[in-house]
Amino acid sequence: WIADEVAGRALLYSIENKQIVEFTGLDGIGGLAAGLDGQGWILVEEGETLIRLDRAGGLLRLQLPAAGGRALAVDRVTGNCWVAGASDIIAYSPQGNAVIQWSGLDGGRAIAIDEVQRRVWVGAGSALWKFTMEGQQLVRLGGFVNLFGVEINPGI
C-alpha cells in the first residue's frame, strides 16, 4: 500500500510491481497500515475517518470519535486495526466493528502492536505505555520530550 498525501490517493501494488487498485479523493491523509488479505487501512479527513480498503476496490468508512485518530497499526494475528487518538484507543475488526475501546490516555500519537507477546505500545506526549490486548497497563516509560513514533521488534 502506498499513500500519496498531496494527490489524495492510496494505491496497492503487487510483488511484480503492477498496480492492483487505486483509491482517489482521500483528503487529509494522516496514516496508512497494511492489513491482512490485501486490506489496507487509512486515516483521512484529519483523523476524523478511518477507511478500510480492499484489493477488489471496496472500501468501508468508519467515523471516529470526536478526538479523532492520530496513528494506526494492524495486528497481524487478528487483522484488527488499532487507532490511537487524542484521548482514546480503539481497535476495529477487519469487518469494521469496534471490538476494544479505552479512554483516558491523553495525547496518543503513536501505536505499535507486538503480535508475539500480544502487547500494545502507545506513545503519548512524554510517555510510552505498554498494555495487554485487553487494556491492562503493564509499563509506563517516561522522560521523553515529544514521542513521534514507536516500532516493535518482538524478538528482543
Side-chain angles (χ1 to χ4, degrees), residues 22-96:
E22 177 178 356
F23 295 88
T24 60
L26 303 173
D27 295 325
I29 294 174
L32 174 71
L36 300 180
D37 300 324
Q39 291 181 342
W41 294 87
I42 191 164
L43 283 170
V44 297
E45 299 167 354
E46 309 305 327
E48 293 180 14
T49 305
L50 175 67
I51 300 177
R52 188 204 65 217
L53 311 168
D54 70 45
R55 62 185 303 122
L59 59 85
L60 174 65
R61 297 178 76 85
L62 303 168
Q63 205 60 35
L64 294 175
R70 295 184 175 176
L72 67 160
V74 173
D75 178 345
R76 303 240 182 247
V77 173
T78 64
N80 291 345
C81 180
W82 290 74
V83 180
S87 61
D88 295 76
I89 306 297
I90 304 173
Y92 292 94
S93 73
Q95 295 76 32

Side-chain angles (χ1 to χ4, degrees), residues 1 11 19-20 36 40 43 51 57 63 68 80 86 101 104 122 140 153-154:
W1 284 99
L11 306 99
Q19 183 176 316
I20 296 173
L36 300 180
L43 283 170
I51 300 177
Q63 205 60 35
N80 291 345
Q101 182 169 359
V122 180
R140 179 190 180 279
N153 180 343

Side-chain angles (χ1 to χ4, degrees), residues 66 122 137 151 156:
V122 180
Q137 179 185 329
E151 290 292 326
I156 295 179

Side-chain angles (χ1 to χ4, degrees), residues 66-132:
R70 295 184 175 176
L72 67 160
V74 173
D75 178 345
R76 303 240 182 247
V77 173
T78 64
N80 291 345
C81 180
W82 290 74
V83 180
S87 61
D88 295 76
I89 306 297
I90 304 173
Y92 292 94
S93 73
Q95 295 76 32
N97 302 312
V99 293
I100 296 169
Q101 182 169 359
W102 314 327
S103 296
L105 184 65
D106 292 333
R109 154 166 207 197
I111 189 164
I113 306 299
D114 179 343
E115 293 95 352
V116 174
Q117 303 299 318
R118 305 304 298 150
R119 302 293 184 246
V120 179
W121 291 81
V122 180
S126 62
L128 178 64
W129 302 81
K130 179 168 101 173
F131 297 95
T132 65

